[in-house]
Amino acid sequence: MAGSMTSDRSRIGGGNGAGPLILTEDVELLDDLLRLCAAAGAEPQVHHSVPERKGCWEDAPMILVGDDAAARCRGATRRRGVLLVGRDQDDPGVWRRAVEIGADCVLRLPDAESWLVDRIADAAEGVGRPALTVGVIGGRGGAGASTLACALAVTAARAGRRTMLVDADPLGGGLDVVLGGEQAEGRRWPDFAASKGRVAGGALEESLPRLHELRVLSWDRGDSVVIQPEAMRSVLAAARRRGGVVVVDLPRRVDEAVAEALAQLDLGLLVVPAELRAVAAAGRVASLAGMVLRDLRVVVRGPYAAGLDERWIADALRLPLVGEVPLEPGLPESQDGGAPPGSRARGPLAAFCTAFWERALAGDGSVTP
């Protein structure tokens, strides 16, 4: 029996994302799946068996096949994203049915509800390859980490990449100020401080200020707000699901929320001024960050003290060297005039950042400009 169910239950209120294709005649199971779709913000299509309309099966972002409908799905085009769902924990024939329809996995409710909500939400958002996420940390105060973070984000956005810049340093003064957008409308960290569970990536992106073709999550000018580790985890996970690149400006102090941010980085850049005391301070920062971060590398900033060079500094810290951040004449004056770091496309800072992204995004594991 083919056909669709057109009751209001298949129209989930408040959902904007394209949801999964549900195939079942089990009313109780359908109620469960519709509830999970609503929790994920997705609006599903509901059918008794494989739809006759061309492309409906093939183009659905995800297919949830009830145990009762598995036999009716035999012979359907094999594809990824088919899940066999039921409630009988002791059904001995479930794996045979899963193989017959080419299911990716077998889910039993209610045990798998949380996992399934996340997968439905991913499908509704059209999740693909996660964003390359790069954190920037100062080896000491005033090292220039925020400047480099902004320049990396500005150059990535100028190259047409989806870009989000996250200010994870509550005492840094706000990266929206560095970008000249402190008056721009949009949400700031205090709006997400109590976030728990899943944050929708699309909703996060659309809610943030758009400055210089990138999205910025920064701080407001109000009292200091403590970001809970759960909020940091949820927000960065949402940012990563949107793809492109995410740049995170991190404080040198590693608390629980910063540890959550470090855990989601693909790569960390430790900005170290070429001074002996800065190298000593950077060693302590590297020791703390390295307890969580898998890949931490050094970026050196001149001018150089006598006897130091970038290779000596990297060796002293026992970290891979990315390169030297070049000095850019007139950068403070440009910032005072509203031009963010990296905005001069032919400037040395933009050239450094462009070379960094070309290597980092090439997929060969090399990020040395």
Side-chain angles (χ1 to χ4, degrees), residues 133 135 137 166-171 189 192-195 217 219 224-237 248-265 288-289 292-293:
T133 305
I137 314 169
V166 178
D167 185 354
D169 185 357
L171 303 181
W189 262 120
F192 301 98
S195 298
L217 177 54
W219 302 86
S224 178
V225 174
V226 176
I227 302 301
Q228 298 299 323
E230 296 86 353
M232 182 67 74
R233 183 189 313 125
S234 297
V235 168
L236 281 184
V248 186
D249 184 30
L250 293 159
R252 290 180 296 129
R253 175 180 53 84
V254 179
D255 58 16
E256 290 184 354
V258 173
E260 288 289 351
L262 289 168
Q264 296 203 44
L265 298 181
L288 290 172
V292 182
L293 180 57

Side-chain angles (χ1 to χ4, degrees), residues 312-339:
W312 185 93
I313 292 171
D315 290 344
L317 294 170
R318 298 181 180 179
L319 293 173
L321 175 66
V322 171
E324 177 188 356
V325 177
L327 296 175
E328 181 152 332
L331 181 59
E333 293 77 14
S334 297
Q335 288 185 249
D336 290 342

Side-chain angles (χ1 to χ4, degrees), residues 5 11 25 50 57 85 93 97 100 115 151 178 191 206 243 246 305 320 336:
M5 301 177 66
R11 303 183 183 279
E25 288 185 302
V50 178
W57 170 275
V85 188
R97 295 194 297 274
E100 289 174 346
W115 185 90
V178 180
D191 297 309
E206 292 301 318
V246 175
D336 290 342

